[in-house]
């Protein structure tokens, strides 16, 4: 049994006007791919020969340039062309990769793979629950399963499940077609958290379906609201154990669709939503620490640019911080970052922060002390996940982290590698929406500041042009099933 493995993962925010290029991605190739994905363990335990291609991933950002997509997809396709006698293909994709001049990067990649291997070779996909899936995906992939946590902590588990399902498919020789339902509604990024209803109850339904006879896997895709594409919506995939159970899978998909759609009005912002000034006031008046404020319109984990200075400017204008220590992590400004490299720790510095891209990223002049220099970690926050550098400027009781790339501090290690002690702060401003697991665990209060930007929370006010209408919450729509 010979199986090709690989990954090409990106969540593309079409409201971010900056194209995502090759240098935004972290990539491993060859034997390094074995350690990057958990499917390797399953395949080896099953006695399979594993052929690595690449694993390329980038933090959510703007549309991927066609040149960048072609660079990575060609690396995968080259391996597929070389290995003529494979039995299966396993890939970790996102579901919301939008490529310049192409559209869905996932669909394009699968189409080109099928042109090489035909339709007798099973393809298994691990996918992000925030995928905006195309109607055609089911025609090119046999096994599709989404994560079942938000924030995501079950990627490894999902990879192992889709690996085992691929092995079963190869051994059975079955050509499986997943059942699919597109749901005519868009869910905002911070309106669906895994440990809260209605998503918690939907996950329970998925478990029930998956444990029933004839069903191999069940997935609910929330979708990605900050992508103005014809595929932007929630969806459902149910994979039958064998093709003889396809009708059962479609029936289950329809029932689940009715249940999910009946609860569409229950998807609400789960953290405290306040305008920026109210958010700051509430944080300053809190008696607990730490308080986290999400600069939600500039959420770099959802494709925001990371350049907004609105909250920084507001904090600097406050005369009395109630003896609170504040950290703002991090503002993306490559020019300011390069200037700060010329200063040593403890030196005084006068620096303009803010790229002036729009009215929310206006340049702010700060005068302070260089407090720390360190590494900027990527999405995973691992010891080897370095993507850039940081410099922290102390202005009184406010510490401002400047980064040379647009990334988010989502783990404790992000702060540590930047040279900061998170316990020092009463208020921490982050470029996020919902808090990721480690920060959520220590947070005493989380405030969602409704700021402007590419991840603006009030999606009904965004200028969508390409989504399929009618669609909720823009329209009242009757659910129609096959």
């Amino acid at each position: 049994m010979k199986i090709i493995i690989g990954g090409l993962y990106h969540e593309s925010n079409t409201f971010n006007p900056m194209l995502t290029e090759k240098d935004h991605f972290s990539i491993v190739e060859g034997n390094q791919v074995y350690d990057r994905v958990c499917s390797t363990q399953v395949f080896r335990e099953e006695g399979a020969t594993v052929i690595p291609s690449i694993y390329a991933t980038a933090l959510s950002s703007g549309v991927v340039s066609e040149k960048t997509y072609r660079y990575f997809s060609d690396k995968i396709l080259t391996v597929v062309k070389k290995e003529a006698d494979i039995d299966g293909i396993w890939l970790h994709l996102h579901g919301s990769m939008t490529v310049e001049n192409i559209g869905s990067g996932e669909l394009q990649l699968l189409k080109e793979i099928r042109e090489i291997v035909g339709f007798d070779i099973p393809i298994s996909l691990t996918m992000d629950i925030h995928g905006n899936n195309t109607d055609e995906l089911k025609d090119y992939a046999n096994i599709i399963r989404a994560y079942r946590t938000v924030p995501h902590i079950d990627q490894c588990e999902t990879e192992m499940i889709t690996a085992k399902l691929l092995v079963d498919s190869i051994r059975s020789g079955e050509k499986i077609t997943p059942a699919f339902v597109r749901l005519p509604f868009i869910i905002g990024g911070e309106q669906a958290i895994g440990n809260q209803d209605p998503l918690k109850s939907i996950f329970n339904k998925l478990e029930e379906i998956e444990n029933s006879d004839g069903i191999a896997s069940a997935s609910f895709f929330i979708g990605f609201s900050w992508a103005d594409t014809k595929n932007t919506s929630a969806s459902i995939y149910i994979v039958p154990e064998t093709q003889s159970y396809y009708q059962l899978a479609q029936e289950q998909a329809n029932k689940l669709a009715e249940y999910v759609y009946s609860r569409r009005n229950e998807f609400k912002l789960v953290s405290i939503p306040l305008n920026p000034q109210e958010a700051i006031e509430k944080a300053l008046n809190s008696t607990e620490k730490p308080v986290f404020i999400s600069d939600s319109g500039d959420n770099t984990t959802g494709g925001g640019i990371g350049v907004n200075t609105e909250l920084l400017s507001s904090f600097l204008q406050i005369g009395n911080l109630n003896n609170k220590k504040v950290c703002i992590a991090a503002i993306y400004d490559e020019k300011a970052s390069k200037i700060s490299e010329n200063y040593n720790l403890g030196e005084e510095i006068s620096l303009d922060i803010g790229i002036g891209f729009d009215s929310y990223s206006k340049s702010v002049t700060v005068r302070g002390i260089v407090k720390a220099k360190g590494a900027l970690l990527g999405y995973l926050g691992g010891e080897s996940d370095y993507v850039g550098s940081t410099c922290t400027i102390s202005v009184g009781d406010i510490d401002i982290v400047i980064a040379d790339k647009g990334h988010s501090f989502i783990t404790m290690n992000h702060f540590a590698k930047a040279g900061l002690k998170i316990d020092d702060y009463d208020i921490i401003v982050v470029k996020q929406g919902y808090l990721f697991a480690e920060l959520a665990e220590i947070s005493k209060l989380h405030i969602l500041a409704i700021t402007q930007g590419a991840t603006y929370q009030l999606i009904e006010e965004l200028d969508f042009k390409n989504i399929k209408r009618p669609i909720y919450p823009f329209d009242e729509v009757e659910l129609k099933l096959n």
Side-chain angles (χ1 to χ4, degrees):
M1 188 188 308
K2 184 184 288 188
I3 299 170
I4 291 176
I5 65 172
L8 181 53
Y9 182 98
H10 187 258
E11 182 180 68
S12 307
N13 185 321
T14 65
F15 296 100
N16 180 335
M18 300 181 180
L19 285 176
T20 299
E21 303 290 358
K22 189 177 88 171
D23 63 355
H24 289 87
F25 282 80
S26 298
I27 179 172
V28 295
E29 301 184 65
N31 292 341
Q32 289 183 303
V33 178
Y34 294 139
D35 296 328
R36 181 61 183 79
V37 296
C38 296
S39 59
T40 304
Q41 177 184 339
V42 174
F43 292 137
R44 285 176 171 169
E45 288 174 353
E46 297 290 342
T49 299
V50 185
I51 309 298
S53 58
I54 66 165
Y55 194 100
T57 181
L59 189 68
S60 184
S61 49
V63 170
V64 177
S65 72
E66 185 174 4
K67 180 180 179 181
T68 294
Y69 166 76
R70 182 51 58 198
Y71 173 82
F72 290 121
S73 64
D74 282 352
K75 282 183 171 290
I76 295 174
L77 295 171
T78 297
V79 175
V80 174
K81 290 174 183 176
K82 181 181 176 182
E83 303 293 336
D85 57 343
I86 58 169
D87 298 291
I89 297 173
W90 179 96
L91 296 171
H92 192 154
L93 307 178
H94 186 282
S96 291
M97 174 185 278
T98 302
V99 179
E100 176 190 34
N101 301 323
I102 290 177
S104 170
E106 292 87 2
L107 181 62
Q108 181 66 23
L109 177 62
L110 291 176
K111 283 183 174 180
E112 293 187 39
I113 290 173
R114 286 300 186 194
E115 288 176 2
I116 300 168
V117 304
F119 286 84
D120 291 334
I121 301 297
I123 295 177
S124 179
L125 304 181
T126 296
M127 302 188 75
D128 194 297
I129 191 174
H130 292 107
N132 288 327
N133 295 310
T134 69
D135 292 358
E136 299 171 84
L137 192 68
K138 67 184 186 317
D139 301 325
Y140 293 88
N142 307 93
I143 297 158
I144 298 169
R145 194 180 192 275
Y147 313 152
R148 207 168 287 175
T149 57
V150 181
H152 312 318
I153 58 173
D154 66 332
Q155 293 99 321
C156 183
E157 177 185 351
T158 306
E159 289 178 345
M160 295 177 77
I161 290 170
T162 56
K164 184 62 170 65
L165 291 176
L166 178 59
V167 170
D168 293 344
S169 176
I170 293 170
R171 286 178 173 156
S172 70
E174 284 273 349
K175 294 181 182 178
I176 302 170
T177 301
F180 171 72
V181 175
R182 179 176 297 285
L183 291 161
F185 73 107
I186 300 174
I187 304 170
E190 319 314 322
Q191 295 178 334
I193 306 299
N195 63 358
Q196 300 185 40
D197 274 329
L199 188 55
K200 181 179 179 180
S201 295
I202 293 170
F203 284 159
N204 290 337
K205 287 282 186 183
L206 294 176
E207 291 289 339
E208 293 174 11
I209 294 170
E210 208 164 76
N211 290 330
S212 61
D213 292 339
I215 302 300
S217 76
S219 297
F220 168 59
F221 288 85
I222 297 167
F224 181 56
S225 58
W226 296 303
D228 184 16
T229 75
K230 64 180 182 180
N231 308 310
T232 302
S233 77
S235 61
I236 289 167
Y237 273 101
I238 308 292
V239 179
E241 288 182 349
T242 66
Q243 196 60 20
S244 62
Y245 287 110
Y246 175 79
Q247 189 57 43
L248 172 64
Q250 190 64 61
E251 291 171 2
Q252 292 277 27
N254 289 345
K255 287 180 182 178
L256 180 61
E258 290 175 338
Y259 174 76
V260 173
Y261 198 64
S262 72
R263 304 194 68 173
R264 65 191 181 279
N265 293 313
E266 298 177 42
F267 289 97
K268 306 290 185 182
L269 291 173
V270 295
S271 299
I272 303 171
L274 296 173
N275 69 47
Q277 292 303 319
E278 291 172 338
I280 291 172
E281 289 173 11
K282 187 170 184 64
L284 289 173
N285 290 325
S286 175
T287 58
E288 297 185 290
K289 63 175 287 191
V291 176
F292 283 89
I293 300 177
S294 284
D295 187 355
S296 68
D298 200 28
N299 169 16
T300 51
T301 71
I305 306 173
V307 296
N308 284 13
T309 57
E310 181 181 11
L311 291 175
L312 166 62
S313 180
S314 295
F315 268 110
L316 289 172
Q317 291 172 19
I318 297 172
N320 181 12
L321 295 177
N322 293 344
N323 294 317
K324 306 281 188 181
K325 186 72 174 175
V326 179
C327 178
I328 299 175
I331 295 174
Y332 168 35
D333 187 333
E334 190 171 0
K335 180 180 178 181
S337 181
K338 285 184 178 179
I339 292 173
S340 68
E341 290 177 1
N342 298 318
Y343 290 79
N344 297 318
L345 296 183
E347 284 190 327
E348 293 184 359
I349 184 173
S350 178
L351 189 66
D352 292 333
I353 302 174
I355 67 171
F357 175 76
D358 53 26
S359 61
Y360 304 103
S361 58
K362 288 181 179 178
S363 180
V364 178
T365 301
V366 301
R367 293 176 177 85
I369 303 295
V370 177
K371 175 177 180 174
K373 291 186 177 184
L376 178 66
L377 299 184
Y379 181 75
L380 298 175
E383 290 296 320
S384 61
D385 192 26
Y386 294 95
V387 296
S389 62
T390 64
C391 180
T392 301
I393 312 298
S394 286
V395 181
D397 287 328
I398 303 173
D399 285 354
I400 309 151
V401 185
I402 310 159
D404 61 357
K405 289 187 173 62
H407 276 258
S408 185
F409 280 41
I410 65 174
T411 69
M412 306 290 277
N413 206 30
H414 281 84
F415 290 88
K417 292 301 181 184
L420 305 176
K421 295 180 180 179
I422 197 169
D423 292 339
D424 289 345
Y425 300 105
D426 301 281
I427 301 170
I428 303 167
V429 178
V430 289
K431 300 286 188 179
Q432 290 173 42
Y434 57 72
L435 291 181
F436 283 68
E438 289 186 11
L439 303 188
E441 185 175 346
I442 67 168
S443 173
K444 299 301 182 183
L445 175 65
H446 178 221
I447 303 168
L448 201 69
I450 305 301
T451 53
Q452 297 291 323
T455 55
Y456 183 56
Q457 294 296 321
L458 307 181
I459 62 172
E460 297 93 331
E461 298 178 15
L462 292 173
D463 187 22
F464 284 97
K465 293 183 173 66
N466 300 308
I467 56 174
K468 287 184 178 180
R469 303 286 294 267
I471 192 167
Y472 181 87
F474 303 95
D475 313 288
E476 280 299 330
V477 191
E478 180 182 349
L479 179 65
K480 297 179 180 179
L481 300 170
N482 297 330

